């Protein structure tokens, strides 16, 4: 479980940073996690073209650490 006391940015700020990484994208899900001792927000962003990205945002600096296409959720809305 991630240590909320170690965060310096809010969930709202993390979501904004993740959405900026994908212009026009909208956050669908976000959570705080402990990843190898670092506290990170993991934000799922759906881009304009409906491609889903997993964006990791440093919970201390607010910097986007990574952004990768989410193969697990790709096309999920079409299967529901």
């Amino acid at each position: 479980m991630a240590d909320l006391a170690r965060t310096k940015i809010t969930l709202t700020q993390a979501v904004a940073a993740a959405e900026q990484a994908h212009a026009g994208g909208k956050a669908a899900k976000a959570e705080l996690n402990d990843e190898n001792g670092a506290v990170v927000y993991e934000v799922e962003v759906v881009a304009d073209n409906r491609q889903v990205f997993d964006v990791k945002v440093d919970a201390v600096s607010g910097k986007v650490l990574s952004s990768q296409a989410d193969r697990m959720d790709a096309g999920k809305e079409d299967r529901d």
Side-chain angles (χ1 to χ4, degrees), residues 12-32:
T12 302
Q13 291 169 314
V15 165
E19 288 177 342
Q20 286 178 354
H22 295 282
K26 297 292 179 194
K29 181 170 106 177
E31 59 189 25
L32 183 65

Side-chain angles (χ1 to χ4, degrees), residues 21 32 44 63 67-68:
L32 183 65
E44 190 173 273
K63 178 183 174 187
S67 177
Q68 298 180 346

Side-chain angles (χ1 to χ4, degrees), residues 1-76:
M1 185 167 172
D3 184 4
L4 188 59
R6 292 176 36 207
T7 65
K8 301 286 187 212
I9 67 166
T10 66
L11 178 65
T12 302
Q13 291 169 314
V15 165
E19 288 177 342
Q20 286 178 354
H22 295 282
K26 297 292 179 194
K29 181 170 106 177
E31 59 189 25
L32 183 65
N33 290 313
D34 186 319
E35 190 167 287
N36 300 322
V39 183
V40 297
Y41 287 104
E42 293 185 11
V43 184
E44 190 173 273
V45 176
V46 181
D48 281 344
N49 65 359
R50 300 182 76 183
Q51 186 173 7
V52 179
F53 292 90
D54 288 326
V55 182
K56 292 184 181 179
V57 180
D58 186 296
V60 176
S61 70
K63 178 183 174 187
V64 173
L65 300 174
S66 68
S67 177
Q68 298 180 346
D70 184 345
R71 295 181 199 347
M72 295 293 285
D73 291 333
K76 184 176 181 179

